[in-house]
Amino acid sequence: MPFKLNDELDKLVDTLARQANMERWCHRLLSALHHTLDLTYLTLLVEQEGQTRVLASWMGNEEFKYYLHPLSLSNYNGVPPEHLLEVKQLRQAISTVAQKPFKAIWNDKPTEWRRVLFPIIMHEKPVAYLYAETQYPERLDENLQAFERVLLLIASDISVHMLREEALTHNISRRSVEAELEVRNYSLREYLSLLKQLHEVTLSLAESCDLDSLYRTAIELGRKKLGIDRLAVFLTDIQNSTMQGTYGTDPEGNLVSRYSFVSDIPDHPLVHEALSRKDVVVVKENAPLYFGTQQVGTGWNAMISMWNGDDCIGWVAADNLISQRSLTEHQKEIMKLFGAALGQQIVIKRSHEALTRLNAELEQRVQLRTQELQQTNRALEEANRRLEAWSMQDGLTGVANRRFFDLTLKRYWQVASRKQLPLSIIILDVDHFKAFNDTYGHQRGDVCLKQVAVTLEKLAHHHEKAIFSRYGGEEFVCLLPNMTAEAVRVLADQMLNAVLQLSIPHAGTREGIISISLGLYSRIPSEEIQEEVLLAGADQGLYLAKQHGRNQYFQWDDTMKAEKAYQGVHIAG
């Protein structure tokens, strides 16, 4: 229904004239304008001592606030400062359109809002301003002239009331110097108590073992010891313009985890101001209070940014949703110190955790490198073992080579000498092997040597610690620790038979196949003689075997003459 100027104006003006004080006057004015013109948000500003200040406000949920000491615009959230500057310059009303109320940080459902700001002029001089926001501007547009006449008529009331309030305030001030001193003393005691509490909070923050416990402790002790209704700690990524919650307080005052809350940093003057100023508590009265992005009330909202050098790492948010108590200057100072202490601890804990992670990574790398080195060393050891084995192995036949035999002979000789045990040796070679090579070629000669070597090595390995080696050319040697002379003769006879059983054709021998000749020698070593004696004795036996027609063995004995040495002969067939 359109605003009826003739009836409603007289009623409103008459009602305002009967109000006993300015608070009731403001309530009647803003209430009437809200209900008759569908104005959702209303703010009455007055000129006081050369400054524009906020006197009263009206929220869409019937929430009225009157400021006995009018607020500075820098501490009030609800009037666009650029609009006020434009109205002062033009001295006429302005109207703009926006997607959400000016005071809103988040707005889930963007709609069209009309913002209007009217000067209230008396004697061609603005004495006050009325700012309003509405989603339904039709009623205002239909009654704009009547509304402006209302503003003109109430200009004198505002001027008179403000003069009366100023006079009353000055009068009260003169009579309350002692009371003010007492208040200041009480305030000072309160400040000292808060400082003590802050000291305890700071010590507890420093004792936090990690970042998670740090955030939790900050909220728990900040509310308990600093007298703040609700606290929340947000971390920022300025480069990506995002924010993340840690811990906070729900509308009932309970501690809750808010790690799941991640959002873009809101594009709002309150947030911009807080994130651009160091060591400053940004406080806005009549501000929307949120839990996440949902508005849960109205009150003062304070933000304290935290810094690491020139990098903003987050902020602490605080409000008075539960108690609606005013924020004192001392509390603001304590909150600033609290934010600085918390920011410092966040930087310290982050550095400590980064160092811990780095140490863990380095330790892991060291362990990995150690494992790699161990694997490399094992591989190297295996390679060296194989290389050593290869260096001790005859390349053609695959049996031990001369170098391995020489080293083993020295070791076996020392052991046998120390324990006074017999050490035996067999030296053998393939009969008429040069003729075999000349007749059948070197390639078949190599195959022949390999067959003989493999066959004889298998026989030798039936005896513990026996060593069978290639000694050179077609000559082989077998070293036999702790064997009797009779056992050595048995092995020699087996070797003769085994080679003949290979039946390798050789036209240059009496038997027509490959045969071998062997020299045997056994003795107990002593310190007076060297191991070469063993080789010399076996070589004597080999010489006799060849001298007596080959394909046989002779066992040399130092106590006998050569012609009486034991002779073993194998006749093929």
Side-chain angles (χ1 to χ4, degrees), residues 389-403:
W390 290 337
S391 70
M392 299 294 182
Q393 188 179 50
D394 179 56
L396 174 63
T397 63
V399 301
N401 61 13
R402 172 71 177 271
R403 178 169 177 263

Side-chain angles (χ1 to χ4, degrees), residues 74-75 268-278 280-284 303 305 307:
S74 61
N75 292 328
H268 192 272
L270 171 65
V271 179
H272 292 321
E273 183 178 0
L275 299 186
S276 62
R277 302 175 66 185
K278 289 185 180 180
V280 173
V281 180
V282 178
V283 181
K284 299 298 181 183
M303 295 178 63
S305 57
W307 298 80

Side-chain angles (χ1 to χ4, degrees), residues 29-35 37-45 54 56-60 63-65 76 78-79 103 116 130-133 147 286:
L29 173 65
L30 298 184
S31 175
L33 296 178
H34 166 69
H35 288 100
L37 297 180
D38 284 337
L39 300 178
T40 305
Y41 300 110
L42 288 157
T43 301
L44 180 63
L45 304 99
V54 178
S57 64
W58 181 278
M59 301 294 292
E63 183 177 349
F64 169 78
K65 288 191 176 181
Y76 180 76
V79 177
K103 66 175 60 184
V116 292
L130 184 68
Y131 176 75
E133 294 183 354
F147 175 64
N286 192 37

Side-chain angles (χ1 to χ4, degrees), residues 48 66 71 98 131 184 196 269 289 307 312 366 381 503 523:
Q48 185 182 53
Y66 177 78
L71 289 178
Y131 176 75
R184 289 184 178 181
K196 181 180 178 181
L289 306 180
W307 298 80
C312 180
V366 169
E381 290 173 1
S503 299
R523 71 169 299 152

Side-chain angles (χ1 to χ4, degrees), residues 133-425:
E133 294 183 354
T134 178
Q135 289 179 279
Y136 312 101
E138 295 81 10
R139 298 188 73 178
L140 178 62
D141 293 340
E142 292 171 358
N143 300 282
L144 186 58
Q145 291 183 352
F147 175 64
E148 290 178 340
R149 286 187 61 196
V150 171
L151 297 182
L152 183 62
L153 291 174
I154 66 173
S156 59
D157 279 359
I158 294 175
S159 180
V160 170
H161 276 287
M162 290 307 301
L163 289 173
R164 184 184 302 164
E165 291 293 330
E166 288 181 11
L168 180 61
T169 300
H170 289 314
N171 186 40
I172 293 174
S173 297
R174 287 195 300 270
R175 291 182 301 168
S176 60
V177 172
E178 292 183 0
E180 184 178 349
L181 289 175
E182 180 61 29
V183 169
R184 289 184 178 181
N185 288 335
Y186 173 80
S187 178
L188 182 59
R189 289 193 297 271
E190 181 186 32
Y191 182 53
L192 292 176
S193 175
L194 286 173
L195 282 176
K196 181 180 178 181
Q197 298 290 342
L198 177 63
H199 177 67
E200 295 177 4
V201 172
T202 303
L203 291 178
S204 297
L205 294 179
E207 293 171 356
S208 300
C209 59
D210 54 34
L211 284 169
D212 182 77
S213 62
L214 175 66
Y215 303 140
R216 176 187 287 270
T217 300
I219 302 302
E220 291 177 336
L221 296 186
R223 293 188 65 246
K224 180 179 178 181
K225 294 184 176 293
L226 304 183
I228 300 172
D229 283 4
R230 294 202 312 157
L231 278 172
V233 176
F234 296 96
L235 306 177
T236 57
D237 182 347
I238 299 299
Q239 184 175 0
N240 296 313
S241 191
T242 58
M243 59 182 285
Q244 178 181 5
T246 57
Y247 284 96
T249 315
D250 67 13
E252 288 72 40
N254 303 310
L255 176 74
V256 290
S257 172
R258 301 294 290 160
Y259 282 105
S260 60
F261 179 75
V262 179
S263 172
D264 292 336
I265 296 176
D267 184 14
H268 192 272
L270 171 65
V271 179
H272 292 321
E273 183 178 0
L275 299 186
S276 62
R277 302 175 66 185
K278 289 185 180 180
D279 301 325
V280 173
V281 180
V282 178
V283 181
K284 299 298 181 183
E285 295 284 353
N286 192 37
L289 306 180
Y290 293 92
F291 184 66
T293 59
Q294 180 183 1
Q295 184 176 346
V296 292
T298 305
W300 59 255
N301 188 14
M303 295 178 63
I304 311 100
S305 57
M306 300 178 294
W307 298 80
N308 179 17
D310 293 330
D311 298 324
C312 180
I313 61 175
W315 74 77
V316 180
D319 63 48
N320 65 338
L321 174 68
I322 300 172
S323 68
Q324 292 293 300
R325 287 193 299 264
S326 299
L327 182 66
T328 66
E329 290 299 320
H330 291 158
Q331 280 183 307
K332 288 174 62 175
E333 184 65 22
I334 291 297
M335 288 171 61
K336 180 176 73 174
L337 297 175
F338 172 72
L342 178 57
Q344 183 183 44
Q345 288 302 318
I346 290 175
V347 173
I348 292 173
K349 294 293 187 298
R350 282 181 173 177
S351 299
H352 176 72
E353 291 190 358
L355 183 60
T356 301
R357 288 194 299 272
L358 178 61
N359 287 337
E361 291 174 1
L362 289 176
E363 184 176 351
Q364 186 177 11
R365 290 179 184 177
V366 169
Q367 291 178 350
L368 182 61
R369 183 58 179 162
T370 300
Q371 293 175 356
E372 292 175 351
L373 287 175
Q374 290 173 346
Q375 292 174 355
T376 302
N377 288 336
R378 285 194 292 269
L380 183 60
E381 290 173 1
E382 177 65 17
N384 288 336
R385 186 190 65 78
R386 291 181 179 179
L387 184 62
E388 179 69 16
W390 290 337
S391 70
M392 299 294 182
Q393 188 179 50
D394 179 56
L396 174 63
T397 63
V399 301
N401 61 13
R402 172 71 177 271
R403 178 169 177 263
F404 183 75
F405 170 76
D406 290 341
L407 294 174
T408 305
L409 176 60
K410 289 182 180 292
R411 183 161 52 87
Y412 278 18
W413 182 270
Q414 292 171 358
V415 172
S417 176
R418 185 172 68 252
K419 295 182 178 181
Q420 284 299 288
L421 297 173
L423 183 62
S424 303
I425 191 170

